[in-house]
Structures are given as structure tokens and as C-alpha cells.
């Protein structure tokens, strides 16, 4: 069976539905620290699980014959700057717990998300390579860089089959993101429909790598279904789709909602965004396990406004 830790989150909730479509509802156990996402909680097997509690995760895996774990729980970049020690505690200890369950053969396979946040201000910002300077300046980025090192170590030393992707900013409409710097790219659609205006917490020229949720979920499923010898990188794969600035996403919205306006009021998240790449080179993922993205910014804007428009009646 499959266990998803952090299933109530932005990616976890959609990943749960996708994995249930593929493997069957009863074969995918969703878990989270609380039941904040009732749609998800009521959609199939769900357990309350603290990602920091090794014995709780171990018992859940043994009692339910779980062999694959998707660890989607983490404090993201903006929250991590407010609560550094909590971010270190959750992001690192949850990873150690699942790596150790795999080392002791209680589980067989792990998916663990990394992020473009592993790159820092000294990383070349255009077409950022898979292997390059990595001096992350956020707590979240530090946890992801160190986490990648541990994943590769456990694979090489103990044969653990852990697979990882450096997600860019993810845009989706089903579940709100929480505590991310790229969250502006989700908020803007909600505000465009509700108020026809948005005050952006990043400056208009802040270019960041982004991806629609459907592409991110496809990549997650694809890397986990790939033959193990196709996975040549056991730290984490760069993954790319598109890059855009707040100015560009606003323009794509104005094509649909001409009266939409945007203003800019950068806050503490501007420094985080400025430390990240503008675009990512994901050639290894495209070569090793045939990754390719599908959604353009125009596709994303159409899908977001259509789906959110339906939700708002
Ligand atoms: C964040 N959405 O903003 C996450 C992600 C690359 C961004 O890691 O922290």
C-alpha cells in the first residue's frame, strides 16, 4: 500500500487523488497532522499522523502493509523564515524517519520533494544547471539541500530507493498553498475573480520558475514509475516548465479580464525570491525518465480562471 504524509497540503491533496485513480482508493492511505482539508479527509482512507513521530509512522506502515511513502509534509520558505527551528525539525526529522524505515526494509520506496529553493544568491540564475553552486539563504532551502545529501547517502550506503524532484513554484486551484513565496501566483487568480485587482508581494520583474499542478503531479508519478536504473540522480532532479514575472502573469489575466489591475508592494518574501533562479535546466530529467511539461502560462490562466470561476458559481 501507499502512504502519503502531508496529504492535506497543496501538492499532497492532488497527489492523493491521482494515486488513488491509478492504484485504487483503498490502496492509498492519506495522512496529515490535522483534518484541515475535509474534502481530502472524506475521500478515502485517512489517518491523523505526526510526520515528526517515528513510531507513529512505523506503526502505520506495519499495520497497513505500506511499502511506498510520499513525504509531502514540510514548512515552506516564507513560514520557515518565521519559524526556523520548527522548519528544521519537521523538514529534517520527517525525512530521517522515512529513510530509516526504508533502511530497515519496513518500506521499499520513498518520494521526497526538494525545491528550487536549494539554489541561493550565488547560483547562476539563468537556465540553472542540475549540478551548480548551491548556497541556499533560506532555512527551507537549507533543509532541502541537506535533505538531498541524506537521500543520496541512504541510497549509496543502504540501497534505499528514494526519488526526488526539485519542484518550482506550483500553481493549482483545488487546494490553497500555505507559506510559500510563490503563492502570489495562486492568490492573484483568486483576487482577479473576487476583486479584479491584486496587490502583489513581489516586484513586477521578479522572474521565477513555475509549473501547473497537473505537470507537477505527472512528474511525481513518472519518476516513481520509472525503472530504478533510469534514476541516475539520487539527490534530486531539476524540473522545469515555464518562468514568468508578476507583470507577465497579470498580462495573461488581463487578456481574459481586461479590467484586472495589479499593484506591487514587496515584503520580506522579495529577498527569498531574489535568492532563487529565474529559470531551470532540467535536461537530466528529460533524458533519464522522459519528463516534459504541457501547460503554458496561457493554459494555466485559462484553467485557473475557468475552475475558480466555477467554484465561485
Ligand atoms: C515556496 N512553493 O514558495 C514553495 C516552493 C519553489 C517554491 O518551494 O516555498
Amino acid at each position: 500500500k501507499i502512504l502519503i504524509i502531508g496529504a492535506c497540503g497543496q501538492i499532497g491533496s492532488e497527489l492523493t487523488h491521482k494515486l488513488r485513480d491509478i492504484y485504487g482508493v483503498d490502496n492509498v492511505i492519506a495522512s496529515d497532522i490535522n483534518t484541515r482539508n475535509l474534502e481530502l479527509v472524506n475521500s478515502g482512507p485517512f489517518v491523523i499522523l505526526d510526520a515528526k513521530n517515528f513510531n507513529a509512522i512505523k506503526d502505520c506502515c506495519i499495520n497497513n502493509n505500506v511499502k511506498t511513502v510520499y513525504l509531502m509534509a514540510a514548512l515552506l520558505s516564507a513560514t520557515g523564515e518565521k519559524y526556523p527551528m520548527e522548519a528544521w525539525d519537521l523538514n529534517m526529522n520527517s525525512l530521517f524517519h522515512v529513510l530509516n524505515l526504508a533502511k530497515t526494509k519496513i518500506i521499499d520506496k520513498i518520494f521526497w520533494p526538494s525545491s528550487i529553493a536549494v539554489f541561493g544568491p550565488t547560483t547562476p540564475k539563468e537556465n540553472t544547471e542540475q549540478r551548480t553552486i548551491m548556497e541556499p539563504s533560506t532555512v527551507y532551502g537549507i533543509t532541502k539541500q541537506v535533505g538531498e545529501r541524506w537521500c543520496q547517502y541512504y541510497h549509496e550506503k543502504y540501497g534505499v530507493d528514494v526519488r526526488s524532484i526539485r519542484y518550482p513554484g506550483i500553481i493549482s486551484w483545488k487546494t490553497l498553498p500555505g507559506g510559500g513565496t510563490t503563492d502570489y501566483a495562486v492568490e492573484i487568480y483568486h483576487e482577479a475573480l473576487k476583486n479584479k485587482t491584486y496587490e502583489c508581494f513581489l516586484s513586477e520583474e521578479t522572474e521565477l520558475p513555475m509549473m501547473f499542478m497537473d505537470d507537477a503531479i505527472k512528474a511525481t508519478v513518472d519518476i516513481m514509475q520509472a525503472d530504478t536504473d533510469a534514476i541516475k540522480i539520487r539527490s534530486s532532479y531539476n524540473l522545469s516548465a515555464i518562468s514568468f514575472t508578476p507583470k507577465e502573469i497579470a498580462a495573461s489575466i488581463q487578456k481574459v479580464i481586461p479590467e484586472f489591475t495589479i499593484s506591487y508592494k514587496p515584503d520580506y518574501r522579495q529577498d527569498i525570491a531574489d535568492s532563487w533562479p529565474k529559470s531551470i535546466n532540467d535536461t537530466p530529467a528529460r533524458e533519464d525518465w522522459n519528463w516534459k511539461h504541457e501547460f503554458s502560462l496561457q493554459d494555466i490562466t485559462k484553467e485557473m480562471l475557468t475552475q475558480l470561476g466555477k467554484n465561485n458559481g
Side-chain angles (χ1 to χ4, degrees):
K1 290 200 177 174
I2 292 170
L3 172 65
I4 299 175
I5 300 174
C8 285
Q10 181 195 15
I11 302 175
S13 58
E14 299 213 35
L15 187 59
T16 301
H17 289 303
K18 182 68 180 177
L19 294 175
R20 284 176 173 164
D21 289 348
I22 297 170
Y23 301 106
V25 172
D26 293 339
N27 291 320
V28 181
I29 301 165
S31 74
D32 208 303
I33 189 78
N34 59 39
T35 58
R36 67 189 183 281
N37 186 335
L38 285 177
E39 182 278 327
L40 188 279
V41 169
N42 297 322
S43 64
F46 179 88
V47 295
I48 294 278
L49 192 60
D50 179 349
K52 293 184 287 187
N53 183 330
F54 174 75
N55 288 324
I57 300 170
K58 183 177 153 205
D59 291 347
C60 179
C61 290
I62 292 173
N63 299 339
N64 295 285
N65 190 29
V66 167
K67 292 300 175 193
T68 302
V69 173
Y70 291 74
L71 173 53
M72 308 308 287
L75 292 186
L76 298 183
S77 60
T79 309
E81 292 308 292
K82 286 182 185 164
Y83 307 102
M85 287 302 108
E86 290 79 356
W88 177 262
D89 185 11
L90 171 59
N91 295 10
M92 296 316 302
N93 287 313
S94 59
L95 176 59
F96 284 130
H97 295 340
V98 295
L99 286 172
N100 285 325
L101 286 176
K103 177 185 171 188
T104 53
K105 310 287 184 219
I106 289 173
I107 63 176
D108 298 335
K109 206 171 180 184
I110 299 167
F111 176 79
W112 177 74
S114 182
S115 161
I116 60 163
V118 292
F119 301 114
T122 54
T123 306
K125 290 195 178 302
E126 298 288 349
N127 201 33
T128 302
E129 296 287 336
Q130 174 70 42
R131 288 184 177 85
T132 182
I133 300 164
M134 295 167 78
E135 298 175 327
S137 54
T138 62
V139 172
Y140 172 71
I142 292 165
T143 70
K144 291 303 182 181
Q145 182 185 33
V146 170
E148 289 187 7
R149 296 292 97 231
W150 279 110
C151 288
Q152 183 166 345
Y153 183 89
Y154 267 69
H155 176 73
E156 288 173 359
K157 282 281 187 300
Y158 311 118
V160 168
D161 186 1
V162 53
R163 305 177 187 201
S164 180
I165 283 172
R166 290 171 181 160
Y167 288 131
I170 307 283
I171 301 171
S172 66
W173 53 272
K174 289 181 188 148
T175 302
L176 281 173
T181 298
T182 58
D183 295 359
Y184 91 87
V186 175
E187 291 173 3
I188 191 168
Y189 290 107
H190 291 263
E191 294 303 311
L193 286 166
K194 214 160 40 184
N195 304 317
K196 303 230 184 311
T197 188
Y198 178 59
E199 183 179 86
C200 184
F201 57 74
L202 297 181
S203 66
E204 70 176 327
E205 297 305 332
T206 308
E207 183 178 4
L208 288 171
M210 296 280 187
M211 179 178 288
F212 192 52
M213 177 64 79
D214 293 24
D215 275 335
I217 297 297
K218 178 179 184 306
T220 308
V221 170
D222 287 356
I223 193 172
M224 287 296 273
Q225 289 186 339
D227 292 339
T228 189
D229 50 21
I231 309 298
K232 299 178 176 56
I233 292 173
R234 291 287 181 166
S235 50
S236 187
Y237 274 91
N238 274 8
L239 201 75
S240 174
I242 56 176
S243 291
F244 56 73
T245 64
K247 187 176 178 182
E248 289 166 330
I249 188 173
S252 79
I253 293 172
Q254 281 157 349
K255 287 204 181 86
V256 183
I257 308 175
E259 63 274 33
F260 172 68
T261 60
I262 183 168
S263 59
Y264 301 96
K265 193 178 177 191
D267 67 11
Y268 72 100
R269 289 167 286 192
Q270 185 65 47
D271 289 342
I272 298 172
D274 288 343
S275 74
W276 289 347
K278 294 177 184 300
S279 59
I280 298 288
N281 179 326
D282 62 359
T283 303
R286 292 176 189 257
E287 285 177 351
D288 293 358
W289 42 276
N290 303 316
W291 157 247
K292 67 176 175 51
H293 77 280
E294 289 171 29
F295 286 78
S296 66
L297 175 54
Q298 191 181 355
D299 298 332
I300 294 171
T301 294
K302 180 166 177 287
E303 188 67 9
M304 289 294 285
L305 293 178
T306 304
Q307 297 295 347
L308 291 174
K310 279 183 207 161
N311 283 4
N312 298 350

